[in-house]
Amino acid sequence: MTHTPTPDQDVTADASPDAHAPDAPTGALGSTPSMESESYTHGHHESVLRSHRWRTAENSAGFLLPHLRADHQVLDVGCGPATLTVDLARHVPDGTVIGVDASAAVLDSARELAAGSGLGNVSFQQANAYELPFPDDTFDVVFAHQLLQHLSDPLAALREMKRVAKPGGIVAVRDADYAAMTWYPEYPGLTEWNELYHEVTHAYGYQADAGRRLLAWVQEAGFDPAQIVPSAGVWCYSTPADRAWWGGLWAERCIASNFAVQAKESALADDVALEQLAQEWLRWAEEPAGWFAVLNGEVLARA
């Protein structure tokens, strides 16, 4: 699967009542465990949101699409700026999609995107994955993309997703696996980046290699093993445009996103080291034969 960058949409929408509620913390050790984003490794820097906006139902939820019906009620947990959420709404024209996220600011962006889409079946609420504000047995599908890797208690989040899913409904989760990422040429700087990412997430209590653990986590969360379908999907960045986009994103993240804040806050890297990693990403992006693959674990489970 190859990435083709698309321009960000510029649309407007009325702010909702919770638009200015406080965000969950994204840059402090010892943050409140009940908050979804806790100390979200990436934060909501523009370089992170550009990556999130690229995601579509086809490139990020292909394992779920064959199971969607037009009238399904869908919950997207940790929806971010909602490109994926809005795209899912197109696949359930007679149903509804609700996106929830811990960040009020990113939900403002989500509402703007939804307002410009012309869709009337998508809405958003500020919430965290451990305390979803919905009754039991509400949704046909509960979806979480690249969320569990950023939570200190993914099992609790999965149990909460199971609670709000209808009996026989689907809980669908997808997460990257950082140790399974691979690239060429084999720049030592990218290896250092990957090692540092693992160290930072470990320091904050998160699992960077969530993808390979999804099947185990879903089983431990109480889903029937006979009703679980595991799979994997790959994002690949190999064209000149892909490399410039992906390398540029990570170069910025290394020096300007919450990843940089946490790396320094946990005394695992300083500004000089992070700048060197950023330069390695840019150097890789200029390689004519540069290639990068992200392995994503996927699981469909019946509630």
Side-chain angles (χ1 to χ4, degrees):
M1 185 176 297
T2 301
H3 151 73
T4 302
T6 57
D8 296 342
Q9 291 184 295
D10 182 16
V11 294
T12 58
D14 292 335
S16 71
D18 69 347
H20 300 292
D23 288 356
T26 57
L29 287 168
S31 58
T32 306
S34 66
M35 301 300 282
E36 176 187 333
S37 70
E38 300 180 0
S39 296
Y40 177 37
T41 303
H42 299 295
H44 297 104
H45 184 264
E46 178 57 27
S47 61
V48 177
L49 297 183
R50 286 206 308 276
S51 176
H52 293 178
R53 292 186 189 110
W54 164 70
R55 297 169 185 171
T56 66
E58 284 70 25
N59 68 28
S60 299
F63 71 113
L64 171 62
L65 293 184
H67 303 275
L68 291 179
R69 294 202 313 260
D71 62 348
H72 268 165
Q73 311 299 306
V74 180
L75 176 66
D76 184 6
V77 185
C79 66
T83 305
L84 182 48
T85 318
V86 169
D87 211 15
L88 286 173
R90 296 187 177 98
H91 289 266
V92 291
D94 302 320
T96 60
V97 178
I98 299 176
V100 298
D101 201 278
S103 169
V106 82
L107 287 175
D108 286 343
S109 177
R111 292 185 180 100
E112 290 177 359
L113 179 67
S117 71
L119 297 172
N121 64 336
V122 58
S123 62
F124 302 92
Q125 295 187 37
Q126 188 178 8
N128 72 75
Y130 300 138
E131 299 173 353
L132 295 171
F134 307 104
D136 296 357
D137 309 336
T138 299
F139 297 97
D140 299 292
V141 175
V142 182
F143 178 63
H145 187 265
Q146 309 298 339
L147 172 68
L148 297 180
Q149 64 184 284
H150 300 297
L151 298 180
S152 60
D153 194 347
L155 296 184
L158 283 166
R159 293 186 185 108
E160 183 69 349
M161 294 178 206
K162 186 174 186 289
R163 179 188 68 79
V164 301
K166 295 178 181 178
I170 294 172
V171 173
V173 291
R174 188 176 195 256
D175 270 273
D177 192 303
Y178 276 73
M181 292 181 184
T182 186
W183 56 87
Y184 184 85
E186 297 177 359
Y187 283 148
L190 295 194
T191 300
E192 292 175 14
W193 157 79
N194 194 279
E195 291 172 349
L196 176 61
Y197 189 89
H198 279 86
E199 291 170 353
V200 170
T201 52
H202 178 74
Y204 281 78
Y206 310 136
Q207 180 50 258
D209 303 332
R212 69 188 66 187
R213 290 171 167 81
L214 293 183
L215 176 58
W217 287 348
V218 169
Q219 292 175 351
E220 291 178 53
F223 290 82
D224 180 359
Q227 298 293 318
I228 298 172
V229 179
S231 59
V234 177
W235 291 327
C236 184
Y237 307 98
S238 56
T239 68
D242 291 346
R243 287 194 301 272
W245 184 81
W246 184 242
L249 285 177
W250 270 107
E252 284 190 58
R253 290 190 194 189
C254 284
I255 59 176
S257 75
N258 202 51
F259 169 65
V261 173
Q262 292 189 349
K264 292 183 287 186
E265 185 177 68
S266 53
L268 291 167
D270 57 19
D271 287 326
V272 173
L274 291 168
E275 178 62 34
Q276 289 174 342
L277 294 182
Q279 291 304 314
E280 281 291 275
W281 271 106
L282 294 175
R283 191 162 72 93
W284 170 83
E286 294 176 354
E287 280 285 347
W291 183 92
F292 198 106
V294 178
L295 179 68
N296 293 280
E298 304 166 341
V299 171
L300 292 171
R302 292 285 176 179

